[in-house]
Amino acid sequence: MPLFWGPGLRPTAHLVQEDGGMPDALAALRALVRIPTVSRQDPADTDWAPFRDLVTLLPSLYPATHRELGLEIVAEHSLLYHWKGSTDGPPTVLMAHYDVVPATDEGWEHPPFSAEVTGEGDERVVWGRGTLDDKGALVAVLEGVEASVLAGRTPRCDVYLSFGHDEETEGSGARAIVDLLQSRGIRAGLVIDEGGAIVEDVFPGVSGPIAVVGVSEKGILTVTLTVDQHGGHASTPPRLSATARLARAIVRLNRRPFRAGFSAPTLEMIGTLGAHARGPLRLAFTNLWLTRPILLALFARLSDETNALIRTTQAVTMLRGSQAANALAERAVATVNIRVSIDSRVADAVAHVRRAIHDPRVVIAVQHPHEPSPVSPTSGPGWELVRRTIGETFPGTIVTPYVMMAASDSRHFTRISDCVYRFSPFEMSAAERGTLHARNERLRVSTLLRGVDFYTRLIAGL
Ligand SMILES: [Zn+2]
């Protein structure tokens, strides 16, 4: 297959050998983690040199893949690989992203871009920004493809690898890739991206590993609440200053949570996991026709996570008032981050905010609205392949759909596929999940290797 290289991209091989004796996947992940592909909120602040370095390094890590698959660079830094299948059926897209959120050395047990390995044997851990999110998945996908190419296999249908460069900020790379595929009339039969994982102790009454596979994502929007008034000296304030009016609006909003309800995937999750729960909880979870109102009340109170599962949520994240301690604010602004339940719409959320605040002098403006994504089915060949592969790779694991609270690059792919699943094939403890976008992000080497095993098996089934 012809390769397309952007200007100045030449394969190098300097970082590979120094990890001699380690599994290839670990050596590759360490090499990628050491390249600080940090995406900044404002793209103008991003140093793009490491992004180019990483793209340049990949062919030396995965030479067979780069011989066999076509590669296009999209939106300057995102990567779209194309592996031609032997028939014309609907293609599969395997996704990951190679940008990471910023990290400084402070508070890390091992510096975030050092990719240090600690421990012995199966207990080994590789430390660094991007190990979990999401360079580990990128390595697992490429290891699976490389092994398959080396074994002389050709997939039955086309396979695309879509690796975004700005998932943590705008997601413009993934969007551009979807635009490109759409312009070529391509509809994918299956898309897999980051999202869920193998987790434990997340559901009341269920112990043992659970594979949570995201079948939908909540919508997201930012709402600004603005109150303007004449400024003046703080020694002669009006009865209701701009800041006080804004505060009243925030309190009113906080007192009016969005309506609670179980979405279809959440009900399916409760049914699936409930069947494995112990004692009376099993009865509660598997007799929803009877217990639904009680469970809804329970989920509202149990934790912030279960509450977020059953409704649209709102969080006031930023506040701005006067610039000086002794001056009244001429403008007071609050920023509200809203995550829209998959049974609802952006317009419903805005209407709710307007009703709750009930004050025409508070100006409501909507920014960056994104509707909830459609729900992917929990039946059919795509779902079955994912479910079966999880079962083979992680025996004894319960597989359940769930609704993702966060937004990922995969949301763009719902435009060109009905079957978009968000699942990273990594076992993540609560402590490990707590390191996502935080300090001491790390991945157990045994976890990485099982993730490689997952993608190798999955690709063999394509
Ligand atoms: Zn990510």
Side-chain angles (χ1 to χ4, degrees):
M1 296 292 295
L3 289 179
F4 169 77
W5 293 109
L9 295 178
R10 262 183 309 281
T12 55
H14 58 284
L15 280 164
V16 192
Q17 282 88 17
E18 78 185 69
D19 286 322
M22 293 197 177
D24 291 348
L26 176 57
L29 179 58
R30 297 185 74 196
L32 298 186
V33 168
R34 288 189 190 118
I35 304 175
T37 45
V38 177
S39 59
R40 309 272 171 190
Q41 250 352 291
D42 183 348
D45 296 337
T46 299
D47 176 5
W48 295 107
F51 289 72
R52 286 189 287 270
D53 289 347
L54 187 143
V55 172
T56 308
L57 178 64
L58 285 176
S60 61
L61 298 175
Y62 299 104
T65 300
H66 286 79
R67 269 197 308 275
E68 184 69 20
L69 279 64
L71 169 60
E72 284 175 278
I73 313 267
V74 181
E76 286 184 50
H77 302 286
S78 281
L79 309 177
L80 178 64
Y81 292 84
H82 180 207
W83 191 5
K84 190 89 190 80
S86 55
T87 64
D88 281 340
T92 294
V93 183
L94 305 178
M95 298 176 62
H97 64 89
Y98 72 91
D99 61 319
V100 297
V101 293
T104 60
D105 287 1
E106 198 193 321
W108 284 71
E109 286 178 43
H110 304 274
F113 299 105
S114 65
E116 279 177 35
V117 174
T118 58
E120 296 289 322
D122 281 356
E123 304 292 301
R124 281 182 301 174
V125 173
V126 54
W127 297 72
R129 175 60 86 226
T131 47
L132 289 174
D133 182 14
D134 186 32
K135 288 174 176 172
L138 185 124
V139 163
V141 169
L142 283 170
E143 289 286 333
V145 173
E146 184 81 358
S148 192
V149 172
L150 286 174
R153 273 200 70 252
T154 303
R156 271 191 299 280
C157 304
D158 287 11
V159 176
Y160 291 91
L161 314 181
S162 169
F163 299 149
H165 72 277
D166 62 350
E167 191 276 342
E168 300 293 359
T169 53
E170 292 180 85
S172 69
R175 197 170 54 228
I177 285 175
V178 172
D179 288 344
L180 184 66
L181 293 173
Q182 198 170 26
S183 75
R184 293 176 183 166
I186 291 163
R187 273 199 77 76
L190 171 64
V191 178
I192 303 177
D193 191 18
E194 64 176 341
I198 313 270
V199 295
E200 287 191 43
D201 302 323
V202 291
F203 196 80
V206 181
S207 54
I210 304 168
V212 292
V213 180
V215 293
S216 184
E217 289 177 23
K218 287 177 106 172
I220 183 168
L221 68 149
T222 301
V223 169
T224 57
L225 311 177
T226 305
V227 182
D228 285 319
Q229 70 166 31
H230 292 298
H233 200 270
S235 59
T236 53
R239 217 173 52 78
L240 195 60
S241 63
T243 44
R245 187 178 283 275
L246 182 68
R248 186 176 73 177
I250 293 169
V251 169
R252 284 177 177 173
L253 189 57
N254 238 24
R255 280 202 191 121
R256 287 271 295 270
F258 286 79
R259 200 171 48 80
F262 288 122
S263 64
T266 302
L267 281 178
E268 191 175 343
M269 179 185 81
I270 293 170
T272 306
L273 297 180
H276 296 270
R278 286 181 303 270
L281 279 173
R282 172 165 29 200
L283 291 176
F285 291 135
T286 52
N287 291 280
L288 283 166
W289 56 274
L290 182 65
T291 57
R292 198 160 162 156
I294 305 167
L295 281 185
L296 211 49
L298 176 73
F299 271 55
R301 281 151 202 271
L302 199 60
S303 71
D304 296 338
E305 283 81 18
T306 55
N307 182 51
L309 266 181
I310 58 169
R311 69 177 91 234
T312 299
T313 60
Q314 58 198 14
V316 176
T317 51
M318 296 163 81
L319 288 171
R320 207 170 70 232
S322 167
Q323 305 277 8
N326 61 356
L328 294 171
E330 291 181 347
R331 166 167 285 191
V333 184
T335 304
V336 191
N337 190 260
I338 298 180
R339 305 299 173 117
V340 185
S341 157
I342 65 164
D343 286 335
S344 187
R345 307 290 295 169
V346 166
D348 302 332
V350 178
H352 175 97
V353 169
R354 204 175 297 283
R355 265 198 315 275
I357 290 174
H358 192 63
D359 183 347
R361 288 201 49 198
V362 178
V363 176
I364 297 167
V366 178
Q367 294 172 338
H368 317 300
H370 213 290
E371 297 289 354
S373 56
V375 178
S376 298
T378 49
S379 60
W383 171 263
E384 282 309 318
L385 177 64
V386 172
R387 202 184 54 77
R388 197 174 62 237
T389 310
I390 292 170
E392 288 167 9
T393 317
F394 307 94
T397 297
I398 309 164
V399 181
T400 178
Y402 88 114
V403 175
M404 258 174 71
M405 317 272 181
S408 75
D409 266 352
S410 65
R411 69 179 188 270
H412 302 294
F413 280 78
T414 56
R415 268 197 276 146
I416 59 161
S417 180
D418 297 327
C419 302
V420 179
Y421 301 109
R422 296 102 172 146
F423 174 71
S424 307
F426 297 135
E427 294 147 305
M428 293 188 203
S429 67
E432 286 161 345
R433 291 199 300 280
T435 69
L436 287 160
H437 291 209
R439 293 168 183 164
N440 293 318
E441 187 178 343
R442 59 190 182 273
L443 180 63
R444 280 170 280 155
V445 173
S446 58
T447 304
L448 171 67
L449 297 181
R450 283 184 98 181
V452 171
D453 187 26
F454 171 86
Y455 270 111
T456 307
R457 287 170 189 271
L458 184 107
I459 289 164
L462 293 175

